[in-house]
Amino acid sequence: MWKNLSLLHLYKLIYSHLHCYQHQAFEDFGASIFSEGMAPGIESSEGNNKMSKGYQYPSWKKKLTGLVVDNEELCRMVEKGIMGLCGVETQAVETGEAAVELIASGATFDIIVIDRFLPSMTGPETARKMREMGVESKIIGLFALYFEGDEEEFVAAGVDDFKEKPLSPNWLVPMLRELDN
Amino acid sequence: MERNHLPRHLVLQRQSLFDQGLLDEQFIQLEELQDDANPNFVEEVVTSYYQNTSTLIVIIEQALGTSPLDFNKLDGYMYQLKGSSSSFGAKKVKADCTLFREYCKAGNVEGCMRTFQQLKKEYASLKRKLEAYFQLARQARVTGTASRPK
């Protein structure tokens, strides 16, 4: 299935659900990968299998969904891209408030990655709010530079892990395997 | 085109980016995610990086021109730049961001200035080298051959 699905179509589906900014660089990026035309639709009931020349990801038994919460545009783009290419149907938002709103509207996610620094609601505050709302997803706190007390704050907020950026495929795939099982 | 079918001089050029410490494992992992249907993911990330961070570099330079320096603000800018740089494996730029940050924490103005000049050089150098690499890689994919050095 995934052999016949181009990245182009995957991004189309993901971006159509994004709470997203409008920025020329982002649009240029989107335009470049949307230039090839549409591919057949996703059959989501049987899981996802991504074969690339380097990696062979396991065939997920269920449809995995993810949420990226990162105010930094490029980080958000790359994290969403990596999760998507690893077979996770991913949305991305810029703020903690947007993430909470998404969840309050009924969206559910298997994995949520949250950056430490968000504009008003911080990363830990966002994670805490999600747990208070009953979110049981795997929540990962990400940081680019470490500040004293960050890890304690994230852990106290209820995250499952706390990791320095970047979000790497080698780190992500074993976690997805756990979620799939 | 599979990486192991790249022409030799392109392989060597790519390897030099790692040997010089300019790129790290993240770049390799992102390349591995690419396939024949989507061969340009990494190049698109790098292009977006330089589009997005060029303004940030100017902002940091302007902030370094003020007196006294606002180290908290500089710390915040460096958080953004380091996060973006690490996303595709820009190892040296990432290291310079970390060093700059240490000077910020210490309130060391000269250290910040010096490190930022170094960072700008690495940032620009990496851009030139990656642009050259991606251009050759695209040509090699299109032609299926490479212009080998004589």
Side-chain angles (χ1 to χ4, degrees):
Chain A
M1 166 190 68
W2 277 80
K3 288 186 291 186
N4 297 321
L5 178 68
S6 77
L7 177 63
L8 166 67
H9 184 65
L10 178 63
Y11 270 84
K12 273 274 197 188
L13 288 171
I14 291 170
Y15 287 140
S16 69
H17 291 97
L18 282 181
H19 291 263
C20 212
Y21 50 90
Q22 293 299 316
H23 187 282
Q24 189 57 43
F26 174 76
E27 288 172 10
D28 289 344
F29 176 66
S32 71
I33 62 171
F34 293 162
S35 62
E36 298 169 15
M38 293 291 287
I42 297 176
E43 297 164 23
S44 59
S45 58
E46 294 177 357
N48 304 291
N49 190 9
K50 167 69 178 170
M51 302 277 292
S52 79
K53 55 184 179 177
Y55 281 159
Q56 178 175 344
Y57 299 123
S59 180
W60 307 131
K61 294 192 282 289
K62 55 182 183 179
K63 185 177 86 169
L64 295 177
T65 54
L67 177 65
V68 167
V69 191
D70 199 317
N71 193 242
E72 176 52 39
E73 180 177 342
L74 188 82
C75 292
R76 191 165 63 243
M77 195 187 296
V78 177
E79 287 154 14
K80 183 168 56 64
I82 289 172
M83 285 172 67
L85 288 167
C86 288
V88 181
E89 191 173 293
T90 308
Q91 297 187 50
V93 295
E94 298 178 60
T95 65
E97 288 86 347
V100 165
E101 192 182 315
L102 200 53
I103 288 167
S105 72
T108 58
F109 304 98
D110 295 292
I111 178 168
I112 301 173
V113 295
I114 305 177
D115 184 47
R116 166 67 180 90
F117 278 114
L118 299 173
S120 46
M121 253 178 108
T122 66
E125 286 168 353
T126 304
R128 180 175 297 108
K129 181 67 182 172
M130 287 179 177
R131 291 302 192 210
E132 286 170 2
M133 292 167 76
V135 169
E136 295 180 348
S137 315
K138 180 83 86 174
I139 301 180
I140 310 299
L142 293 182
F143 66 97
L145 288 170
Y146 183 74
F147 289 81
E148 197 69 43
D150 271 359
E151 184 170 9
E152 289 79 6
E153 203 178 337
F154 252 130
V155 168
V159 301
D160 295 286
D161 209 338
F162 178 69
K163 185 191 180 307
E164 185 175 2
K165 288 181 177 182
L167 185 68
S168 68
N170 281 359
W171 183 86
L172 181 63
V173 169
M175 180 165 292
L176 297 177
R177 196 175 284 120
E178 266 182 47
L179 287 172
D180 195 45
N181 289 330
Chain B
M1 175 176 282
E2 297 286 338
R3 197 162 74 243
N4 56 358
H5 295 151
L6 287 177
R8 180 168 168 73
H9 78 282
L10 196 54
V11 171
L12 292 175
Q13 186 172 358
R14 180 181 176 281
Q15 187 57 42
S16 75
L17 296 172
F18 295 96
D19 293 343
Q20 292 169 47
L22 299 176
L23 296 174
D24 64 26
E25 170 70 19
Q26 178 73 358
F27 190 88
I28 297 172
Q29 291 186 41
L30 294 191
E31 280 193 318
E32 292 286 341
L33 284 177
Q34 296 179 150
D35 59 22
D36 291 334
N38 308 283
N40 300 319
F41 178 64
V42 179
E43 184 178 354
E44 286 165 352
V45 168
V46 171
T47 301
S48 295
Y49 168 78
Y50 280 102
Q51 285 173 342
N52 290 6
T53 55
S54 58
T55 306
L56 182 57
I57 294 287
V58 170
I59 289 171
I60 295 171
E61 186 125 55
Q62 287 171 348
L64 285 170
T66 63
S67 182
L69 290 189
D70 185 338
F71 290 109
N72 279 338
K73 198 172 264 190
L74 287 168
D75 213 14
Y77 294 144
M78 209 43 65
Y79 186 95
Q80 291 178 52
L81 187 57
K82 192 190 171 201
S84 295
S85 304
S86 72
S87 69
F88 72 94
K91 187 176 178 183
K92 267 197 181 170
V93 174
K94 197 172 84 166
D96 286 335
C97 291
T98 303
L99 184 58
F100 182 97
R101 204 269 180 125
E102 292 305 310
Y103 283 124
C104 271
K105 277 163 69 174
N108 185 327
V109 174
E110 191 193 322
C112 286
M113 300 286 194
R114 193 173 57 242
T115 306
F116 185 67
Q117 292 308 313
Q118 176 64 26
L119 187 155
K120 278 200 316 178
K121 280 187 194 159
E122 296 293 349
Y123 175 89
S125 170
L126 180 63
K127 183 181 183 189
R128 283 193 306 272
K129 289 174 181 173
L130 283 175
E131 278 176 349
Y133 168 70
F134 287 133
Q135 186 174 19
L136 285 175
R138 262 186 271 122
Q139 285 170 4
R141 274 197 302 272
V142 166
T143 63
T145 58
S147 53
R148 290 176 172 78
K150 294 182 183 168

